[in-house]
Amino acid sequence: MNYISSTNIKYYILLNIVKNSFLPILIILLIQTAAFSQISISGRIIGHNGTGIEGVHIRIEESKKGTVTNNEGFFTLENLSSKDETLHISSIGYYSQQIKIKAFADQKNYLTITLSEDVRSLDEVVIEEKKNSIQVERLPDVHDMYMPAGKKNEVIQLGGVNANISEKTGRQIFAKIPGVFVYDMDGSGNQINISTRGLDPHRSWEYNIRQNGIITNSDMYGYPASHYSPAMESIERIELVRGSASLQYGAQFGGMINYVTKQPDTTKAFSFETINTGGSFGLFSSYNAISGKIGKLTYSAYYQKRHSDGYRKNSKSDAQSQFASLTYEFSKSFKIKAELGRSSYVYQIPGPLTDAMFEQDSRQATRSRNYFNPDIYIPSIIIDWKISPSTKLRLTNSGVYGNRNSVMFDAFANVPDTIDPVTNQYKPRQVDVDNFKSFTSELRLVHQYKVGGMNSFVSGGVQLMKNNLRRRQLGKGTTGSDFDLTLTNPVWGRDLHMKTTNIAFFVENLLYITPKLTISPGFRVEGGTTDMTGTITYYQPEALPNSIKHEFPLFGISSQYKLDADSKIYAGFSQAYRPVVFKDIIPGSVLEQVDKSLKDAKGYNLEAGINGNIRQVFSYDISVFQMLYKNRMGTLALSDDQGKAYILRTNTGNTMTKGMEVYAEYKPFIINGQQGVKTEFSIFTSTSYFDAHYLKGHSVVNNENTDVKGNKLEGVPTWISRNGLQFTHNKLFATIQYSYVSTLFSDALNTVEPSVNGARGKVPSYGIWDFNGTMRIAKSYTLKFGINNFLDKKYYTKRPTMYPGAGIWTSDGRSFIVSFGIKI
């Protein structure tokens, strides 16, 4: 049998992935590769305290082969010869080393290397390369207290992204993450609404949303939308792990998104950063942050304020956010961190449009008295204890507290909000208030151990959630035009409580079968109850109480095989579920009833893929997936024993989504000039294909049940493709990007022709061009500039059926921004 190099294996897989199914290739590759005798070196880089050092570069002399240690200090080098080798080991802040070794085939070549701190170099460290990092990064096998090995994951370093950060433009921030669908509905800069793999993007509520590992979803079991919206200028990187992560983070179909804030500058007692942005439509944003380290105390804090008049008429928004973090390190093995984040904004909602209105003037407004205001606090305390060099324990206590307020004249787009000629006043507005009180306590342990001489890891713990969501709706508000939540009648049309107590046990084991092959089995057991109580003025009291139990195990397994230090194949399966949320079980009128035996949505994620780098000029990630989503909520038209017709809110549908996600980036040329001047040009594509349809389901039309089996899933485009050209020269970084989204349906009936009120109908495809640039001036100054939608495309992303109103919601047209940052 002839030897096949890892490079040939990569080209073989890339060639056949288009021609054949991916999974047979994966199986054949693993069988063939296992037959070869290969030479490898593995080991761990530690400091004098025995702690593993992350990010150490290990390179073989006279060779391009190399690797970087993970966050526990472990590394593996593959495909070595049997001759003497010299390892070059280097890391910022440590003395470099050169070690001569001799590696043998079919033997365990394991090294433990201790690095000494180079105190002299610490004050001179300036990390510039990440700022122009234009490739998507991956999480290490073991990251913090989690194990992403074998799961599709991406890391976005915002310092290396050309995007409209101040207005949270999702198509630019997530440009290189294939399959991200962006829902624009909240006015520029207020929220990020994204989804992947055909899920609902509303408030990103199909994801477990976190900030620094802390859950920010408002109520995971009552209303899992993430109303918390911190300043994007405060974020250092975004970590995204797809649906097969449901065992570790939570049971969500989407997976996990973690917004990691900028880390304090620990080389100074005090540092300061300010970023100020101005742009079209009255945009002004000011972000100001401080950080530093004094003795054993590390701190950081920021304050941000932003105003915009909005692209459409009557779409003004005023936002602010604050954050503070304190970490006290009692010893190298024990520290406590306390954080408090807050975000709030008031958005004037311009109202939905009909298709005729959109064609006439897409910037017009149908409302002038509607407002939306979430005000959310996220407190947390984290205790980290390194019990031993191989065992870490973390206790996290956190909460989500605050309100979601709105005052609106709520009606279809073709119903005008006019002054009554009799009273000479507007009609009273509807006031709705949600109060969130969500508490989470999680104890998690990670332990490293050896099996057959190989390092493996186990992570497990317990999570307790206690949530109390109070929803008050249909309040009679004022006839005024300002943001006023005052009630003119103290009685709410709906005053409900949704209380949940839930406990989850979870464990996942990362097993290294060989230095290249890992398998990660795991499970999560959920158990709890959600109780709804309260009053509805139009509903019989005895029919209202509803209790939903959450009791079931979730299983999953993932695996990866490293082709070399830069490339791997991965595959995973994980069960998931989504609880029945508040809006699903509130009867809309006396003619509706709610099923007392509702079931939570459940299903699974199945994925397989390959990613890596070829000669540092071509990076890629190609994956296929399949997602089953059962027990979707819907309605049925029924009649009781007396023949009286009613609508039953119950589980009516199952859907299946299959697809492919492709990210590829190629650098035609890289020129390293004199005095460190670097010129680089790259081209990228981030493209996904979705085939999403109903396996079964019903929809009520004119009080009759209509079968929707085989119909396309609403809100899911078949194609999403983002493509760009990037140019870097010295301190200039420029990006031009084209984003395309194909047509989608707005309802399960797949209605093509738009309704008169704009609530139903096809959503047309659209393509948008953006340009962004960054200029770094000296070490402390940064100038950013951009033109969003520079061809001024008129488009919309969805026809919502709930907030902020049924109909067309115009997305932003052409706008200009300029941002200037100073860091001292």
Side-chain angles (χ1 to χ4, degrees):
M1 181 178 294
N2 295 326
Y3 178 81
I4 300 177
S5 69
S6 61
T7 302
N8 289 336
I9 292 175
K10 287 187 291 185
Y11 282 113
Y12 176 78
I13 293 176
L14 288 171
L15 180 63
N16 283 273
I17 196 169
V18 179
K19 297 180 180 178
N20 305 300
S21 171
F22 181 84
L23 292 178
I25 294 174
L26 176 62
I27 296 170
I28 294 171
L29 181 64
L30 291 176
I31 294 173
Q32 290 182 342
T33 307
F36 300 131
S37 294
Q38 296 181 343
I39 301 171
S40 65
I41 297 173
S42 60
R44 192 183 191 201
I45 309 296
I46 61 174
H48 282 293
N49 59 358
T51 303
I53 304 173
E54 182 179 6
V56 179
H57 291 265
I58 302 159
R59 179 178 58 84
I60 298 175
E61 188 175 27
E62 304 300 330
S63 170
K64 292 184 178 180
K65 289 182 180 178
T67 187
V68 178
T69 58
N70 65 14
N71 71 322
E72 293 290 337
F74 291 99
F75 72 92
T76 299
L77 287 166
E78 308 287 353
N79 301 330
L80 306 181
S81 65
S82 59
K83 66 180 182 66
D84 293 339
E85 298 280 15
T86 299
L87 300 184
H88 290 255
I89 302 167
S90 62
S91 181
I92 293 175
Y94 294 88
Y95 286 104
S96 299
Q97 290 190 28
Q98 294 184 19
I99 300 176
K100 290 186 176 182
I101 62 169
K102 189 176 183 66
F104 298 92
D106 302 319
Q107 291 190 17
K108 297 171 183 176
N109 301 291
Y110 188 85
L111 302 172
T112 299
I113 302 168
T114 303
L115 292 185
S116 299
E117 290 186 351
D118 183 1
V119 181
R120 298 169 302 172
S121 69
L122 291 181
D123 291 335
E124 301 173 2
V125 173
V126 178
I127 302 176
E128 293 285 354
E129 191 64 26
K130 286 286 185 183
K131 293 180 180 179
N132 284 344
S133 174
I134 55 178
Q135 293 180 351
V136 174
E137 299 179 3
R138 313 292 166 196
L139 292 170
D141 291 356
V142 180
H143 174 62
D144 200 9
M145 302 287 285
Y146 302 91
M147 294 180 293
K151 302 169 181 66
K152 184 177 180 68
N153 65 81
E154 293 102 347
V155 178
I156 305 170
Q157 297 285 353
L158 280 189
V161 171
N162 261 333
N164 184 357
I165 300 296
S166 62
E167 293 187 295
K168 302 184 177 78
T169 305
R171 68 176 180 271
Q172 298 173 15
I173 295 172
F174 295 91
K176 297 185 180 181
I177 311 300
V180 171
F181 178 51
V182 181
Y183 180 15
D184 298 328
M185 68 171 190
D186 268 323
S188 297
N190 290 327
Q191 295 271 178
I192 288 183
N193 299 275
I194 65 168
S195 67
T196 53
R197 297 180 175 177
L199 296 168
D200 188 345
H202 180 77
R203 299 277 187 269
S204 308
W205 63 356
E206 294 283 6
Y207 272 97
N208 189 296
I209 306 296
R210 300 185 173 220
Q211 178 179 268
N212 298 335
I214 302 302
I215 295 174
T216 65
N217 301 72
S218 298
D219 187 316
M220 295 302 301
Y221 298 91
Y223 197 65
S226 182
H227 298 97
Y228 178 69
S229 183
M232 196 56 60
E233 294 96 329
S234 72
I235 303 302
E236 180 178 280
R237 68 180 186 274
I238 304 173
E239 301 168 348
L240 190 150
V241 186
R242 298 298 173 96
S244 58
S246 59
L247 302 179
Q248 293 188 56
Y249 300 99
Q252 289 68 40
F253 278 90
M256 185 280 305
I257 299 176
N258 186 28
Y259 295 92
V260 182
T261 59
K262 292 178 179 177
Q263 299 305 297
D265 186 347
T266 57
T267 66
K268 301 176 182 178
F270 178 83
S271 65
F272 173 72
E273 180 182 21
T274 181
I275 302 173
N276 295 278
T277 304
S280 303
F281 316 119
L283 170 67
F284 178 75
S285 174
S286 182
Y287 165 84
N288 301 277
I290 59 172
S291 70
K293 184 176 183 180
I294 304 173
K296 295 185 177 182
L297 178 67
T298 303
Y299 70 93
S300 66
Y302 78 78
Y303 175 83
Q304 177 250 4
K305 192 175 182 68
R306 178 179 48 77
H307 169 84
S308 175
D309 294 328
Y311 173 70
R312 293 177 60 191
K313 298 176 183 177
N314 301 332
S315 62
K316 180 180 67 175
S317 63
D318 287 282
Q320 59 176 300
S321 61
Q322 302 92 31
F323 176 80
S325 176
L326 296 173
T327 302
Y328 192 83
E329 191 173 16
F330 291 89
S331 67
K332 291 292 184 181
S333 59
F334 188 83
K335 64 181 179 181
I336 296 178
K337 179 169 70 173
E339 293 183 340
L340 175 62
R342 184 225 177 185
S343 77
S344 175
Y345 65 85
V346 177
Y347 170 47
Q348 187 178 14
I349 310 173
L353 302 178
T354 66
D355 289 75
M357 292 175 179
F358 177 78
E359 291 300 325
Q360 180 190 44
D361 180 7
S362 61
R363 297 183 62 183
Q364 67 178 296
T366 55
R367 303 288 181 264
S368 62
R369 306 188 300 134
N370 290 11
Y371 297 88
F372 180 70
N373 164 235
D375 191 354
I376 307 295
Y377 291 82
I378 309 288
S380 65
I381 295 179
I382 300 175
I383 300 174
D384 274 318
W385 180 24
K386 181 167 282 189
I387 301 173
S388 71
S390 59
T391 306
K392 291 198 299 185
L393 185 71
R394 173 173 294 174
L395 175 63
T396 302
N397 290 301
S398 64
V400 180
Y401 303 97
N403 309 311
R404 172 193 178 276
N405 310 309
S406 65
V407 53
M408 302 171 60
F409 174 75
D410 192 12
F412 287 115
N414 56 345
V415 179
D417 182 15
T418 57
I419 294 176
D420 189 325
V422 177
T423 63
N424 201 31
Q425 289 183 324
Y426 285 105
K427 291 182 180 179
R429 294 173 294 179
Q430 175 181 319
V431 177
D432 296 333
V433 175
D434 283 354
N435 303 113
F436 303 109
K437 294 181 180 179
S438 301
F439 173 76
T440 301
S441 183
E442 181 181 276
L443 184 66
R444 180 182 291 267
L445 182 140
V446 175
H447 177 68
Q448 173 196 332
Y449 63 98
K450 287 183 177 292
V451 175
M454 300 296 298
N455 290 294
S456 295
F457 300 85
V458 62
S459 174
V462 58
Q463 182 188 77
L464 173 67
M465 281 190 172
K466 292 181 70 68
N467 300 341
N468 184 356
L469 169 57
R470 185 183 184 187
R471 171 159 286 186
R472 289 170 290 175
Q473 296 179 317
L474 305 180
K476 186 177 181 180
T478 69
T479 59
S481 299
D482 58 343
F483 175 56
D484 186 355
L485 298 174
T486 302
L487 295 185
T488 57
N489 183 337
V491 179
W492 295 89
R494 293 192 284 253
D495 190 350
L496 304 169
H497 283 271
M498 195 169 191
K499 297 181 180 180
T500 301
T501 299
N502 195 83
I503 189 168
F505 299 91
F506 53 89
V507 65
E508 187 162 10
N509 202 356
L510 173 58
L511 296 169
Y512 281 84
I513 308 303
T514 71
K516 290 185 174 185
L517 177 64
T518 66
I519 296 178
S520 303
F523 70 89
R524 184 182 185 94
V525 178
E526 295 267 351
T529 304
T530 298
D531 295 310
M532 186 181 81
T533 58
T535 59
I536 298 179
T537 54
Y538 54 80
Y539 210 66
Q540 56 271 34
E542 66 277 5
L544 181 62
N546 208 330
S547 183
I548 303 171
K549 292 188 179 297
H550 319 288
E551 294 180 352
F552 45 80
L554 303 170
F555 297 96
I557 187 169
S558 58
S559 179
Q560 73 178 20
Y561 185 84
K562 292 186 177 180
L563 301 171
D564 57 29
D566 298 318
S567 306
K568 65 184 178 184
I569 51 179
Y570 57 90
F573 166 85
S574 183
Q575 294 175 302
Y577 92 102
R578 184 181 192 272
V580 175
V581 300
F582 216 155
K583 75 176 189 66
D584 294 330
I585 59 176
I586 296 178
S589 70
V590 70
L591 301 177
E592 288 189 1
Q593 294 184 21
V594 180
D595 191 347
K596 294 295 184 180
S597 58
L598 285 173
K599 298 178 181 179
D600 292 325
K602 63 180 181 179
Y604 65 77
N605 278 279
L606 176 65
E607 64 187 11
I610 178 172
N611 63 38
N613 294 283
I614 298 177
R615 300 185 183 131
Q616 303 304 312
V617 298
F618 182 70
S619 58
Y620 61 92
D621 190 339
I622 303 172
S623 62
V624 293
F625 71 90
Q626 177 174 295
M627 183 176 65
L628 175 66
Y629 201 117
K630 300 174 66 176
N631 298 332
R632 285 185 177 271
M633 286 296 298
T635 56
L636 291 176
L638 301 174
S639 58
D640 57 22
D641 296 337
Q642 287 74 40
K644 184 179 179 181
Y646 67 94
I647 300 296
L648 179 67
R649 302 176 70 86
T650 185
N651 304 110
T652 62
N654 297 342
T655 62
M656 174 71 76
T657 304
K658 301 176 182 179
M660 175 176 281
E661 301 157 331
V662 176
Y663 159 72
E665 185 165 351
Y666 175 59
K667 299 178 182 178
F669 66 84
I670 303 174
I671 301 174
N672 293 309
Q674 296 180 350
Q675 299 180 344
V677 176
K678 185 177 182 179
T679 302
E680 182 176 301
F681 176 78
S682 70
I683 181 171
F684 74 87
T685 184
S686 174
T687 301
S688 61
Y689 168 78
F690 297 142
D691 177 17
H693 61 276
Y694 278 89
L695 299 178
K696 73 170 188 177
H698 290 86
S699 184
V700 176
V701 182
N702 298 324
N703 290 325
E704 292 186 2
N705 297 322
T706 301
D707 189 359
V708 297
K709 180 180 178 180
N711 284 12
K712 284 185 173 293
L713 180 60
E714 65 272 19
V716 183
T718 302
W719 292 97
I720 300 176
S721 183
R722 296 186 175 94
N723 310 273
L725 300 174
Q726 298 182 129
F727 175 77
T728 303
H729 177 71
N730 198 8
K731 297 182 181 297
L732 174 66
F733 181 28
T735 303
I736 185 169
Q737 176 183 313
Y738 175 72
S739 304
Y740 172 79
V741 179
S742 65
T743 59
L744 57 89
F745 291 104
S746 62
D747 63 350
L749 296 171
N750 291 180
T751 303
V752 176
E753 294 299 321
S755 58
V756 175
N757 56 24
R760 290 189 178 185
K762 230 177 183 182
V763 175
S765 62
Y766 54 89
I768 307 164
W769 289 90
D770 297 313
F771 173 79
N772 285 282
T774 301
M775 173 69 76
R776 305 194 185 280
I777 307 169
K779 293 182 179 180
S780 302
Y781 307 101
T782 302
L783 177 67
K784 289 180 175 286
F785 46 90
I787 309 175
N788 306 300
N789 189 5
F790 63 73
L791 294 184
D792 202 20
K793 174 67 176 179
K794 186 170 67 173
Y795 74 105
Y796 54 97
T797 60
K798 198 178 177 183
R799 299 176 190 256
T801 57
M802 48 179 185
Y803 171 87
I808 291 174
W809 287 84
T810 304
S811 298
D812 287 1
R814 181 169 50 233
S815 65
F816 302 82
I817 63 159
V818 177
S819 177
F820 186 67
I822 305 174
K823 189 171 184 180
I824 55 176

